Amino acid sequence: MLRKLQKQTRAFLVAIASLSLFALMTLMFFDVVLRSAFNMPIEAATELTRCLMALVVFAVLPIISTSGGQISVDLLDGVFHRLRLVRIRDAVIALVSGAALIEPARRIWILADRAREYGETTEYLNIPTYLLGSFVFLSVLATSLALIVHGIAVLFGKHSSEGAKQ
Amino acid sequence: MTTAIVGFAIVLLLVLLRLPIAFSMGIVGAFGYAYERGGSILDERGLKATMSMVGRQIMDTAQDYGLSVVPLFILMGLFVNKGGMARELYAVSNAFMGQMRGGIAMATVAACGGFSAICGSSLATAATMSKVAMPELRRFGYSDSLATASIAAGGTLGILIPPSVILVIYGLLTETSIGKLFMAGIVPGLLGIVFYILAVRWTVWRKPESGPAGERASWAERLSALKSTWAVLLLFFLVIGGLYGLLDFQPLNLAFSPTEAAGMGAMGAFVIALCRGGISFAGLRDVLKETSFTTAALFAVLIGAQVFSNFINIAGLPQALIAFVTTYDVPPFAVIMMIIGIYIILGCVFESLSMLLLTVPIFFPVVVSLGFDPIWFGIVVVVVTEISLITPPVGLNVFILKGIVTDVPTATIFKGVTPFWIADILRLALIVLIPTLVLYLPNQMGALGH
């Protein structure tokens, strides 16, 4: 049940990122063509681009962070394997990374909440900016919690670590 | 300055312990910033200021309009791959060079150069070309070391010949014209192709059995292969032509910013792949998923690097380095040589983008204060980064090859890469000693481009 929910959430987040990316490409294309051929640029193109970029990046951030998708250097993996420290190292890395995101997540929530209080909106489409801020907050918080859970699971042997898979 | 150096050392240590690079730079940058602001890493006011900066940085970086060029160029590269254009480039290079001794390896290098003109990533170039070229190189009995090395080295050209994701990020980071940077990458990129071809010649001269001659193509076959590259040329002229205003005439009126060029390139490559039946719905889904994953990972590094860069700046490292160079009257050339040395050493450990993000905020102000051209320095940095892609023990392009051609030991690839590595060092020396090689084309641009 839990695994199924996890899989569906993952598919949903990938779909958000993929659709946003495709929309970004299409938007850019039509903006250039309409501006060049008909002198009718899409005025909201810049703000839409900024929103779509945030959706692409933050929709999949929790997924890449817990599936070894973050860029890292595996130069000393052999040493950790020999010392049988891979599991502990990977658990510590996940826990430290997860803990490091708690305070930034709280800060992003404050920024989003402030934007809501002030009634900030985008220039052309009047999209409330707190919506995007809340999405980024949820993504960073989800990444943080997922990393902490992942770290605990790796520590107690419920989940194989990235280094151990290699 | 001491704080910044200690911070830098801790980042290196954390990276070696396999903490993701984004977190290594972000955590050290945040605590370092708090220390500089409050006098202690646990000072409440310092930590509050830091978290304010980190929160703002996370929000701003992911919504940066200029950075949208990154996912779009990655997307373009993946669509190009689906459109079968790498195969056509390889066929035409092979038709002209294949009959020479070592010719198929030379054709591989030339095809990598051509592919780089429509793809902005070295890893994507190496991965794509290894699938296309490796079967042919094996069919003609090329040694594993020469075959894999020519692909790994040729693949590095992806980040130098425009379009280039790394040059875009350097441009955004240093507020240097991306159009001029792209133009500046052309001659060093072509030099790279020539030097790599010479490295192949040298290898087959030393060991003739490592690169036997292939079949000679007739002129009719050559012309037919040449004609099939129209899609590559079309895409290249769409992106580069639009960027430099070459398509700005009635009724097209096409003139793009780098971001728009990336969007047009991605859409162009998508349409070509679609028309050729190279992309199904599942294929499109995979491409979009892969691009979004790569983008998120790159942006995580970017955010971490911005936090670290704020710490480095508030700690005054660039200013201290400038003061040191001025006080001790260090010759500018010696400074450049030291910087290049540091890059080559860091390149043994760091992935290319992380290395750039970590070092440019420190070195760029020093280099500019010494009177060097920022465009020239950008190309030097990218060429050194290219070298790092084939330098042991990390050499990412080598590991990309190893991931695809699993039966060749990593040591064999690194052994084969040695002549290409030396060719790279010679090219770097040439670019450093004769900056005109880099600056001639951008200086001719005038008001063209963005």
Side-chain angles (χ1 to χ4, degrees), chain B residues 181-204:
Chain B
L181 281 168
F182 277 5
M183 198 54 105
I186 293 177
V187 173
L190 293 175
L191 271 178
I193 297 176
V194 173
F195 276 47
Y196 285 159
I197 286 177
L198 291 175
V200 174
R201 293 287 293 182
W202 189 83
T203 307
V204 291

Side-chain angles (χ1 to χ4, degrees), chain A residues 35 50 58 71 73 77 107, chain B residues 18 21 51 62-63 255 260:
Chain A
R35 187 189 64 209
R50 289 163 58 100
F58 287 104
I71 300 168
V73 172
D77 269 15
R107 191 66 213 171
Chain B
R18 218 190 170 181
I21 293 170
M51 281 308 136
Q63 291 183 68
E260 290 166 342

Side-chain angles (χ1 to χ4, degrees), chain A residues 10 14 17-19 21-22 24-26 28-33 35-37 45-47 49-51 53-54 56-58 60-61 63-65 67 69-77 80 89-90 92-94 96-98 100-101 103-105 107-108 111 114 129 132-133 136-137 140 143 147 162-163 166, chain B residues 15-23 27 48 51-56 58-65 67-69 71-72 75 79 251-257 259-264 266-268 270 284-285 287-289 291-301 303 348-351 353-354 393-394:
Chain A
R10 192 184 154 99
V14 170
S18 301
L19 287 172
L21 187 58
F22 196 78
L24 181 67
M25 177 182 80
T26 316
M28 208 67 89
F29 174 76
F30 281 109
D31 182 37
V32 172
V33 171
R35 187 189 64 209
S36 310
T46 306
E47 64 188 51
T49 300
R50 289 163 58 100
C51 293
M53 280 293 295
V56 172
V57 173
F58 287 104
V60 293
L61 188 69
I63 302 174
I64 64 151
S65 301
S67 59
Q70 291 276 9
I71 300 168
S72 60
V73 172
D74 57 1
L75 208 58
L76 297 182
D77 269 15
F80 280 99
R89 180 202 62 180
D90 287 355
V92 170
I93 284 173
V96 167
S97 306
L101 288 177
E103 192 51 31
R107 191 66 213 171
I108 292 164
L111 289 175
R114 192 181 298 158
T129 53
L132 200 63
V136 175
F137 158 72
V140 177
T143 307
L147 278 167
E162 276 313 304
Q166 291 173 352
Chain B
V15 165
L16 285 174
L17 292 173
R18 218 190 170 181
L19 185 68
I21 293 170
F23 287 102
I27 293 171
K48 199 175 170 194
M51 281 308 136
S52 176
M53 178 270 286
V54 173
R56 184 53 67 192
I58 292 175
M59 289 297 294
D60 289 351
T61 307
Q63 291 183 68
D64 189 316
Y65 177 82
L67 284 173
S68 59
V69 69
L72 291 169
L75 195 59
F79 282 141
L252 277 177
N253 297 327
L254 286 173
F256 322 140
S257 67
T259 310
E260 290 166 342
M264 293 297 280
M267 184 56 107
F270 172 60
L284 175 64
R285 220 174 42 191
V287 164
L288 292 171
K289 183 179 159 187
T291 307
S292 57
F293 278 24
T294 310
T295 304
L298 291 180
F299 271 68
V301 175
I303 293 167
C348 298
V349 180
F350 274 94
E351 169 276 333
L353 178 69
S354 316
V394 173

Side-chain angles (χ1 to χ4, degrees), chain A residues 7-161:
Chain A
K7 207 175 162 186
Q8 281 173 345
T9 312
R10 192 184 154 99
F12 176 67
L13 292 173
V14 170
I16 292 180
S18 301
L19 287 172
S20 304
L21 187 58
F22 196 78
L24 181 67
M25 177 182 80
T26 316
L27 172 75
M28 208 67 89
F29 174 76
F30 281 109
D31 182 37
V32 172
V33 171
L34 287 173
R35 187 189 64 209
S36 310
F38 305 103
N39 202 17
M40 275 172 35
I42 301 171
E43 288 185 332
T46 306
E47 64 188 51
L48 279 173
T49 300
R50 289 163 58 100
C51 293
L52 290 169
M53 280 293 295
L55 289 177
V56 172
V57 173
F58 287 104
V60 293
L61 188 69
I63 302 174
I64 64 151
S65 301
T66 49
S67 59
Q70 291 276 9
I71 300 168
S72 60
V73 172
D74 57 1
L75 208 58
L76 297 182
D77 269 15
V79 178
F80 280 99
H81 271 288
R82 274 196 297 280
L83 297 172
R84 295 171 185 274
L85 289 172
V86 175
R87 188 174 289 280
I88 293 172
R89 180 202 62 180
D90 287 355
V92 170
I93 284 173
L95 290 169
V96 167
S97 306
L101 288 177
I102 293 173
E103 192 51 31
R106 198 180 71 84
R107 191 66 213 171
I108 292 164
W109 172 248
I110 293 170
L111 289 175
D113 197 41
R114 192 181 298 158
R116 189 183 55 79
E117 268 177 33
Y118 294 170
E120 281 176 20
T121 58
T122 59
E123 207 176 332
Y124 289 100
L125 299 175
N126 291 321
I127 304 168
T129 53
Y130 81 89
L131 289 177
L132 200 63
S134 305
F135 179 76
V136 175
F137 158 72
L138 285 175
S139 164
V140 177
L141 185 70
T143 307
S144 167
L145 295 178
L147 278 167
I148 291 171
V149 172
H150 180 76
I152 294 169
V154 170
L155 193 63
F156 293 103
K158 304 272 185 199
H159 200 295
S160 64
S161 62

Side-chain angles (χ1 to χ4, degrees), chain B residues 197-246:
Chain B
I197 286 177
L198 291 175
V200 174
R201 293 287 293 182
W202 189 83
T203 307
V204 291
W205 174 69
R206 288 282 308 268
K207 276 190 187 170
E209 70 283 5
S210 65
E215 294 153 3
R216 178 180 288 276
S218 67
W219 274 103
E221 285 169 327
R222 285 176 183 176
L223 285 176
S224 154
L226 205 56
K227 275 186 201 158
S228 70
T229 56
W230 66 266
V232 175
L233 294 174
L234 183 74
L235 205 53
F236 180 73
F237 281 111
L238 175 70
V239 174
I240 302 300
L243 191 59
Y244 294 108
L246 302 177

